[in-house]
Amino acid sequence: MKKLRLTLSLLVLIGITTSCDDFLSEVPDNRTQLDTPQKISEILVNAYPQASYMDFAETMSDNAFDSENLTGTTIKNSQNFNWEELDDVQRDTPSFYWDACYSAIAHANQAIEAIDKLGNPANLNAQRGEALMARAYSHFMLVSIFSQRYNPATAKTDLGIPYILEPETVLLKKYTRNTVEEVFDNLEKDIELGLQFVGDDYDQPKFHFNKAAAKAFASRFYLVKGDWDKVLANSDDLSSQPEGKLRSIAGYNLLDTTTRLNIYSQASENSNLLVVSTSSLYNRTIRSNRFGLTGAERNTVFGTATNLFNKAWLYSSFSSNGSITIFLPKFVEYFKYTNANAGIGLPYVTNVLLSNEELFLNKIEAHIMKNELNTANAEMEYFLSTRTTGFSPTADKVTEARVVAKYPVIADEFTPFYSLTPVQASYIKAVAELRRIEFIHEGLRWFDIKRFNLKVTHKIYNKPNNVLVKDDLRRAIQIPLYVTNTGVEKNPR
């Protein structure tokens, strides 16, 4: 009996000791240990903002007009159109996008930390490059939306956004806003290092920062910064006539409506370099919002007067309400049912984040700023030839005289932080108009309005015009209220 009791006591002691050892050896939270290349790759799937900025950015731009369709009036759409702080924090709002970007940054930082802990092995170079580019992309979009435009003369004091370089390890950590200069310095470090490591070995490369997407993003960054040589260095994959690398608008027009709605954002489209599935209702609201692209103002954007050769554009539009509002077929919704019986689920829309069209237009702009106008002429001519109805290779030539006549210099109109000669001003205006038309609905026009400091006038039925003047404080969207309530400094108003 004594022997039995001793044995039982020993087993209990061993059990307690073993349990303590097991408990102490456990990770104190439920996060996956990122200790293999596969696990790191899996977490990087979430390193992209799964939210869309396109609805609110487009509505704030001069691509939005008042359709006077009062039944299409919503608080969110009206507040965006009037550059007001939104009450809504749900999908397709600045607050929703803020959260999505910082969630993406958190995943990128987890991957970077894990790779560092593993000693930065060569077999994780691609994941490291992807994580760095993804972290830079979300920070870049945040500073582009929630801060004033980049201007090296004021960047040392302009409020940027918090640039997060490590995973969060404490609950409710206090953050302060970096200056715009600090944000851009960090961006450049991440981008340059990321470019060294990104790869193309993905099952679905268009959903990751592959090499082409990384260079396209770098070209956008350096365009904003005014580093024309680096814009060109990152656009060298496109020749002056990138046959087969730009989307075929004429080819799109031959397709049935359903195919056209689907093809624009597909990963199989050669021109698309980076796409992401976002939680968004934009496919619905783009058709019904009171403030947006209207049938009455279609010619303001797509009329023959906006074409350098005074010819019709190949772009075609659709409408769901008798042309009160119109839209180009760029978005299609995938509704993911969470409860099929109850008809409950979540709407998703795929957004094209980077494309060869943007890269090519960035390249043209850089040539203009370097006074390489012959090259710019050839590239603009090629681009227009793929977007103009009845283009004539002999009659429709892009020349300096033609550009200057079509886009005369208007005093104090385009005022980037760098100087423009009169000829450059005409050419930059021409390229900005091409970009405006090409990326209608996609929000990029808003970023051009900011970097060129363009004045925007929104006309509202039965109300005085609302004017966004140069250097208007409303150009920096207000930081979400729940963020400023934690001590993060607000944008001045």
Side-chain angles (χ1 to χ4, degrees):
M1 178 66 71
K2 185 175 180 179
K3 184 177 180 181
L4 178 60
R5 286 176 180 168
L6 180 60
T7 304
L8 287 173
S9 299
L10 182 60
L11 286 173
V12 170
L13 180 61
I14 292 172
I16 293 173
T17 304
T18 304
S19 297
C20 287
D21 287 343
D22 289 345
F23 177 77
L24 292 173
S25 66
E26 288 182 1
V27 180
D29 59 32
N30 293 322
R31 284 176 293 183
T32 300
Q33 293 301 290
L34 303 179
D35 51 10
T36 68
Q38 181 181 357
K39 290 179 181 178
I40 293 171
S41 294
E42 287 172 356
I43 199 172
L44 283 173
V45 171
N46 294 312
Y48 301 86
Q50 296 172 14
S52 178
Y53 60 86
M54 295 183 179
D55 190 343
F56 64 81
E58 191 72 7
T59 307
M60 292 189 296
S61 78
D62 54 3
N63 286 337
F65 308 89
D66 185 0
S67 69
E68 300 182 18
N69 180 24
L70 302 184
T71 60
T73 306
T74 66
I75 294 174
K76 180 171 70 175
N77 183 229
S78 298
Q79 289 178 329
N80 283 329
F81 191 69
N82 288 289
W83 307 292
E84 297 171 355
E85 186 173 355
L86 264 65
D87 299 321
D88 197 345
V89 297
Q90 300 303 311
R91 56 177 63 87
D92 298 314
T93 66
S95 295
F96 194 79
Y97 191 71
W98 172 282
D99 288 346
C101 281
Y102 277 115
S103 175
I105 290 165
H107 284 89
N109 282 335
Q110 288 286 348
I112 292 169
E113 181 187 63
I115 294 169
D116 287 342
K117 287 182 176 179
L118 292 172
N120 291 309
N123 68 325
L124 286 174
N125 278 348
Q127 288 93 331
R128 185 183 181 197
E130 182 183 3
L132 288 165
M133 296 304 298
R135 180 169 75 180
Y137 176 82
S138 285
H139 280 116
F140 176 81
M141 294 304 296
L142 286 167
V143 76
S144 298
I145 292 169
F146 294 97
S147 299
Q148 293 293 344
R149 65 172 179 156
Y150 174 76
N151 182 345
T154 60
K156 288 182 182 293
T157 55
D158 286 340
L159 287 171
I161 44 92
Y163 204 102
I164 313 301
L165 293 168
E166 57 187 22
E168 293 184 355
T169 56
V170 298
L171 185 64
L172 299 177
K173 183 176 180 179
K174 300 293 183 182
Y175 289 104
T176 57
R177 297 176 68 171
N178 294 93
T179 66
V180 170
E181 181 179 79
E182 290 169 340
V183 172
F184 269 68
D185 286 346
N186 280 318
L187 283 170
E188 189 158 11
K189 290 176 185 176
D190 277 351
I191 290 170
E192 288 300 320
L193 189 57
L195 284 169
Q196 296 178 33
F197 296 115
V198 287
D200 287 321
D201 189 16
Y202 299 106
D203 292 333
Q204 295 180 308
K206 300 292 183 70
F207 289 89
H208 300 268
F209 259 113
N210 53 74
K211 291 179 180 179
K215 293 177 72 173
F217 171 48
S219 85
R220 181 191 291 186
F221 170 76
Y222 286 116
L223 192 77
V224 171
K225 199 173 181 188
D227 191 331
W228 318 120
D229 288 331
K230 287 191 176 180
V231 173
L232 294 176
N234 284 290
S235 59
D236 58 358
D237 290 339
L238 294 180
S239 67
S240 290
Q241 294 189 357
E243 193 74 33
K245 291 193 174 183
L246 304 183
R247 65 184 78 243
S248 172
I249 305 301
Y252 280 13
N253 291 340
L254 300 175
L255 303 173
D256 63 86
T257 303
T258 301
T259 303
R260 289 186 63 183
L261 285 168
N262 282 281
I263 196 172
Y264 188 88
S265 59
Q266 284 184 344
S268 58
E269 169 58 67
N270 285 341
S271 65
N272 294 337
L273 302 179
L274 181 64
V275 297
V276 65
S277 180
T278 67
S279 179
S280 173
L281 290 167
Y282 196 28
N283 183 55
R284 305 180 198 181
T285 57
I286 199 175
R287 302 161 186 255
S288 60
N289 277 338
R290 171 183 170 181
F291 301 107
L293 184 60
T294 66
E297 296 288 350
R298 189 187 192 283
N299 285 343
T300 301
V301 181
F302 292 104
T304 56
T306 66
N307 185 288
L308 183 63
F309 309 125
N310 295 313
K311 293 185 174 181
W313 294 101
L314 283 168
Y315 307 98
S316 59
S317 59
F318 293 79
S319 179
S320 298
N321 53 21
S323 293
I324 296 173
T325 56
I326 61 175
F327 63 92
L328 272 66
K330 293 187 173 185
F331 306 98
V332 64
E333 181 180 301
Y334 164 68
F335 192 81
K336 181 180 180 180
Y337 285 97
T338 54
N339 187 323
N341 291 330
I344 298 171
L346 298 171
Y348 289 90
V349 174
T350 301
N351 288 171
V352 179
L353 301 187
L354 296 163
S355 68
N356 276 330
E357 283 78 18
E358 181 188 357
L359 183 60
F360 193 55
L361 291 171
N362 292 350
K363 181 182 184 182
I364 295 172
E365 190 171 328
H367 283 306
I368 292 166
M369 293 309 303
K370 288 176 66 66
N371 288 309
E372 298 167 353
L373 297 186
N374 288 337
T375 303
N377 286 342
E379 291 173 346
M380 284 180 63
E381 188 173 307
Y382 178 80
F383 191 83
L384 282 160
S385 74
T386 65
R387 267 96 178 123
T388 300
T389 300
F391 174 82
S392 169
T394 55
D396 298 331
K397 307 300 292 183
V398 175
T399 64
E400 180 180 323
R402 201 166 200 166
V403 171
V404 169
K406 184 72 172 180
Y407 301 101
V409 176
I410 298 175
D412 202 37
E413 183 183 20
F414 277 68
T415 53
F417 70 81
Y418 42 86
S419 61
L420 298 171
T421 67
V423 172
Q424 285 176 328
S426 291
Y427 270 90
I428 290 300
K429 186 173 181 178
V431 175
E433 287 300 307
L434 289 176
R435 189 181 281 110
R436 178 189 187 186
I437 292 168
E438 182 70 23
F439 300 112
I440 193 82
H441 304 316
E442 297 181 59
L444 294 188
R445 176 63 174 178
W446 175 246
F447 303 119
D448 275 358
I449 286 169
K450 289 186 70 169
R451 71 188 181 99
F452 292 128
N453 209 13
L454 299 176
K455 175 184 172 182
V456 180
T457 300
H458 279 170
K459 299 178 181 180
I460 307 171
Y461 176 68
N462 272 349
K463 290 185 179 180
N465 291 345
N466 197 348
V467 181
L468 190 76
V469 299
K470 288 182 178 291
D471 298 315
D472 197 308
L473 295 178
R474 294 175 296 175
R475 292 171 184 265
I477 295 180
Q478 189 57 269
I479 304 296
L481 180 61
Y482 55 85
V483 176
T484 60
N485 284 341
T486 65
V488 175
E489 187 175 355
K490 289 185 175 183
N491 284 324
R493 284 292 185 263

